[in-house]
Amino acid sequence: MAVSDAVAALPAKPENRQARTAWGLTAPALALMVSILLVPVIVAGILSFTNYSLGNPGFDWIGTQNYERLFTRSTYEKMFIATFTYVVTVVPISVGLGLGAALLVHSLGRIGDIYKTIYFLPVMATLLAMAIAWEFMLHPTIGMVNRTLAMACGTWFEVIPFFANGCAEGFPLWLGDRDYAIWVVCFIGIWQGFGFNMVLYLAGLTSVHRELYHAAEMDGAKSGWEKFWLVTWPALGPTTVFVVTISCIRAFQVFDTIEAFWPQGGGPNKSAYVMMFAIFEKGVQQNLIGIGSAITMLFLVFVMFLTLIQRWLVERKVHYG
Amino acid sequence: MTRGWWKHMVLILGAIIVLAPFYMMLSYSLKSPGEIDRGVGGFFGRQEMMVDPRCVALRQPDRADIDAARARFPGQDDAGIQAALQAETETACSMRPVVFNYTKAFTEAPLMRYLLNGVIVTVSIFLIQIVVALPAAYALAKLRFWGREAVFGLVLFCLLIPVHAIALPLYIMLAKLGLTNTYAALVVPWTISVFGIFLMRQFFMTVPDDLIDAARMDGMSELAIVWRVMLPTAIPALLAFAIFSIVAHWNDYFWPRIVVTGNRDLFTPPLGLREFKGDGDGSFFGPMMATATIIVTPLIVAFLIAQRRFIEGITLSGMK
């Protein structure tokens, strides 16, 4: 508020008065932005070099030990593997499915709207509730998934090794099996997210000019495939950049499903021990704030890096005009 | 239509997978435990009267009950009276599975309280976001002052920071202030929406200056201009932002999970559901799915009614 006091001392020219009100109007937002967004980043940055715990009177500086731990201990190796497996699986597939669904829905015209509504439902629904619903679906004995799979037993489906094994020895435990756990989580991430991407792509598709397709036909693009690569895909460039970035950021933040399935430990053999869960477990539950802060800092670096790449790409695209 | 049949095939297959958990959730919330275990009864279940075992166990007739009921069953020995009373309790405790599931959802846990908390938290977050963001957005869009570029630069920088990512330092700060396990802890981190500021600023840029000048001529203060001139022009953008904000915070699980520990009075709906799952044994699938249905339904229904607005609101982050 020092600025507005200084301004108040000056003779009240209209510009000064406006400046004073302007600072007055932005002050609450500014104060909250600094105290809720900037200060915590700095706090996390500082604490990541300490061994602080809540309730302790003080802390010791331990240099980069927390970060060294992150890069040497096998638990954190598992954390990075789980996080990147999730991101690298969920992002391309949910973007691809989103685009595919958008193209199909768009080509159907008004009838397509019904699919749009259905595919958007998971985006709206409380993820935690749906995770619990999925957990029941995947229940090894009374779940719908394994019951449905079991129906294929005794039919020609048994040619497929997966079914042959399943019918002979029982279908997978899914959430209890470390070979499947992370993939199930990925599947639910895709299930939840692709509708969101589809809607963004649909918005992008409506802005592609019809004339461009005619022009492409003039140039000899006959098949739908050629037209897609020649017109649609480049026109959707900015949308794709945005969709990929936002999918990445959301994928990095996966937590609800993991905590719902495995309240302790992050999955069988820590196979689904993602970063957000690690921050929660180490920092909040075990009160190891130093290491939790170090993970937080690393997480912020990833997310900021992604967003900066996106902004850079978008600005470059703008010049293509 | 005939040429597009393969498209419908693909899309319907997708729709089945998308809808499967919703179908299951709703179906289990209607069925009896037995039907869920055996996987029978179709979607609605047979809705045969079922006996609530916990209710019967609670009302097990004891010595005093038998003595008290002696007058009603003249000429019977104790065992006979006990059997008769047992039968009465069982009738009193029997109900349709759907009624059982949904009453259990509300009686096993204070679900009503959780829902109310959800409403309190989401609504206060939204209102505070608006009170903070609108004046700032107006100043950034329409007022000229020294430092405006710097403030806007800060807004753009803060857009890079997801609040969930800095949950740990926020939690520490709130704990130091003694605010964990309060409504404040649930609301405070979300009071500033840089995205809201950014969005409303972009929107206010398009409002003609003449409108503001006319208001100034009428002697309105700048703050009055924000609420009486700018706010009404911004209703569509505000509505989209409201949907964006409310959906995000009704569904949020991560942040409440961190700052609310143990105190059930502060549980938001997702936390309540989590608790339900935590202490439920296998036989409580029905009531749990009823709880899940109740939590998911308000937003889904609102979405089905005002689809276009919802899609606009949720994908708002895409319109930069």
Side-chain angles (χ1 to χ4, degrees), chain B residues 44-108:
Chain B
F44 291 103
R46 279 190 303 279
Q47 297 301 329
E48 283 161 349
M49 293 301 255
M50 58 169 280
V51 176
D52 175 0
R54 212 177 285 196
C55 166
V56 175
L58 276 176
R59 298 204 212 167
Q60 205 58 254
D62 57 13
R63 202 63 248 160
D65 291 324
I66 295 174
D67 287 336
R70 211 174 289 281
R72 286 199 289 137
F73 304 100
Q76 285 197 31
D77 59 359
D78 282 3
I81 295 174
Q82 187 174 5
L85 282 178
Q86 186 80 28
E88 272 182 11
T89 344
E90 282 191 11
T91 336
C93 284
S94 67
M95 53 185 107
R96 305 268 173 217
V98 53
V99 180
F100 171 78
N101 290 340
Y102 281 87
T103 45
K104 276 286 171 227
F106 281 97
T107 54
E108 281 298 302

Side-chain angles (χ1 to χ4, degrees), chain B:
Chain B
M1 190 64 199
T2 42
R3 276 184 58 236
W5 66 270
W6 67 271
K7 293 178 184 169
H8 282 283
M9 291 288 286
V10 174
L11 288 169
I12 287 171
L13 190 71
I16 291 172
I17 295 171
V18 167
L19 290 178
F22 290 99
Y23 171 90
M24 195 230 50
M25 181 174 75
L26 199 58
S27 168
Y28 277 23
S29 81
L30 304 172
K31 291 196 205 179
S32 69
E35 285 167 330
I36 292 174
D37 270 351
R38 276 173 279 124
V40 294
F43 179 73
F44 291 103
R46 279 190 303 279
Q47 297 301 329
E48 283 161 349
M49 293 301 255
M50 58 169 280
V51 176
D52 175 0
R54 212 177 285 196
C55 166
V56 175
L58 276 176
R59 298 204 212 167
Q60 205 58 254
D62 57 13
R63 202 63 248 160
D65 291 324
I66 295 174
D67 287 336
R70 211 174 289 281
R72 286 199 289 137
F73 304 100
Q76 285 197 31
D77 59 359
D78 282 3
I81 295 174
Q82 187 174 5
L85 282 178
Q86 186 80 28
E88 272 182 11
T89 344
E90 282 191 11
T91 336
C93 284
S94 67
M95 53 185 107
R96 305 268 173 217
V98 53
V99 180
F100 171 78
N101 290 340
Y102 281 87
T103 45
K104 276 286 171 227
F106 281 97
T107 54
E108 281 298 302
L111 180 57
M112 217 49 215
R113 178 69 192 246
Y114 300 161
L115 293 172
L116 185 70
N117 285 340
V119 172
I120 292 173
V121 169
T122 38
V123 170
S124 14
I125 288 175
F126 172 66
L127 290 180
I128 299 175
Q129 280 178 338
I130 290 301
V131 169
V132 173
L134 274 193
Y138 168 70
L140 287 173
K142 289 296 178 188
L143 300 178
R144 269 188 299 278
F145 60 102
W146 180 85
R148 184 172 79 165
E149 296 311 311
V151 175
F152 189 59
L154 188 64
V155 169
L156 289 181
F157 177 74
C158 285
L159 273 174
L160 289 172
I161 307 171
V163 179
H164 277 169
I166 52 170
L168 183 61
L170 276 173
Y171 162 75
I172 296 164
M173 288 161 70
L174 288 167
K176 280 281 161 203
L177 295 171
L179 284 174
T180 46
N181 286 313
T182 59
Y183 279 114
L186 288 168
V187 174
V188 165
W190 309 103
T191 50
I192 178 75
S193 168
V194 264
F195 174 63
I197 297 178
F198 178 80
L199 181 85
M200 294 324 275
R201 174 198 176 258
Q202 302 304 84
F203 189 84
F204 285 159
M205 300 278 270
T206 63
V207 175
D209 285 335
D210 297 348
L211 201 66
I212 299 162
D213 288 333
R216 286 198 188 119
M217 293 288 196
D218 289 347
M220 269 194 198
S221 73
E222 296 293 318
L223 199 60
I225 292 176
V226 173
W227 300 116
R228 308 234 307 266
V229 180
M230 301 307 274
L231 178 70
T233 63
I235 293 293
L238 215 55
L239 210 60
F241 179 67
I243 291 170
F244 172 83
S245 165
I246 288 171
V247 170
H249 296 119
W250 179 266
N251 290 340
D252 188 21
Y253 173 65
F254 182 63
W255 181 250
R257 180 77 180 80
I258 287 180
V259 287
V260 177
T261 43
N263 186 357
R264 284 176 139 215
D265 289 345
L266 288 169
F267 275 13
T268 56
L271 280 181
L273 180 61
R274 186 70 188 76
E275 172 95 344
F276 208 134
K277 180 182 177 254
D279 53 39
D281 47 9
S283 63
F284 257 56
F285 285 172
M288 193 159 108
M289 286 295 105
T291 308
T293 310
I294 292 165
I295 292 171
V296 170
T297 304
L299 288 183
I300 296 283
V301 169
F303 164 64
L304 292 177
I305 293 171
Q307 271 188 59
R308 187 169 299 177
R309 287 237 172 269
F310 265 76
I311 290 180
E312 253 171 44
I314 304 293
T315 54
L316 200 61
S317 40
M319 45 180 280
K320 279 186 190 166

Side-chain angles (χ1 to χ4, degrees), chain A residues 78-145:
Chain A
K78 281 177 184 164
M79 174 184 83
F80 288 122
I81 292 174
T83 311
F84 288 111
T85 310
Y86 185 85
V87 173
V88 169
T89 314
V90 169
V91 173
I93 298 181
S94 71
V95 170
L97 281 179
L99 175 62
L103 289 170
L104 289 180
V105 166
H106 187 69
S107 71
L108 288 174
R110 291 210 47 82
I111 313 169
D113 280 359
I114 175 87
Y115 299 112
K116 182 165 97 176
T117 309
I118 292 172
Y119 291 176
F120 201 70
L121 284 178
V123 184
M124 301 289 314
T126 312
L127 182 56
L128 183 83
M130 300 323 290
I132 291 175
W134 272 112
E135 193 177 358
F136 283 160
M137 304 256 306
L138 294 163
H139 193 286
T141 50
I142 66 165
M144 209 185 250
V145 171

